[in-house]
Amino acid sequence: MTDVEDQAVEERLKAALWFSVGKIVDEEALKLGVNASPQFIGALTELLWTQIANASEDLRAFARHAGRQTISTEDALLLARRNEDLAKVLRSCLKR
């Protein structure tokens, strides 16, 4: 892919994330009887985007360190090692 194509894909992914975050925030705001500003949704979307980018880099690094080019479930478990609840959910899914 070219840089222009990469940028277009990134913009579409961010837009999809913004839409999903907005939908979830709106649903929760209605339940709680509060309002969420577009600025809040934008900031939360940027926070999630950064977290996703960091997680993907960590997963790539774990796979490379293990001498692989493909990310495996072991990499995901390693990423979740500091979040006990997430690690439990991942292990539970693996057992199925």
Side-chain angles (χ1 to χ4, degrees):
M1 276 191 180
T2 67
D3 287 342
V4 173
E5 290 172 328
D6 286 345
Q7 188 174 8
V9 168
E10 183 174 319
E11 287 176 16
R12 284 196 307 272
L13 288 172
K14 275 190 175 181
L17 183 61
W18 178 292
F19 177 79
S20 296
V21 168
K23 189 174 177 182
I24 293 167
V25 167
D26 287 344
E27 288 171 4
E28 293 303 313
L30 280 174
K31 288 180 193 174
L32 297 171
V34 297
N35 291 321
S37 70
Q39 293 82 5
F40 172 77
I41 294 170
L44 185 56
T45 301
E46 285 301 317
L47 175 71
L48 287 171
W49 184 262
T50 301
Q51 286 292 98
I52 292 166
N54 289 338
S56 66
E57 285 302 315
D58 288 345
L59 289 168
R60 278 191 211 122
F62 296 155
R64 264 188 265 125
H65 181 74
R68 292 181 274 104
Q69 291 185 356
T70 304
I71 294 169
S72 71
T73 53
E74 290 82 18
D75 301 321
L77 288 170
L78 186 58
L79 182 68
R81 72 190 180 282
R82 292 193 179 128
N83 184 332
E84 190 175 311
D85 292 332
L86 177 58
K88 282 181 188 176
V89 169
L90 291 175
R91 281 192 220 96
S92 171
C93 289
L94 286 173
K95 289 179 183 176
R96 287 188 223 160

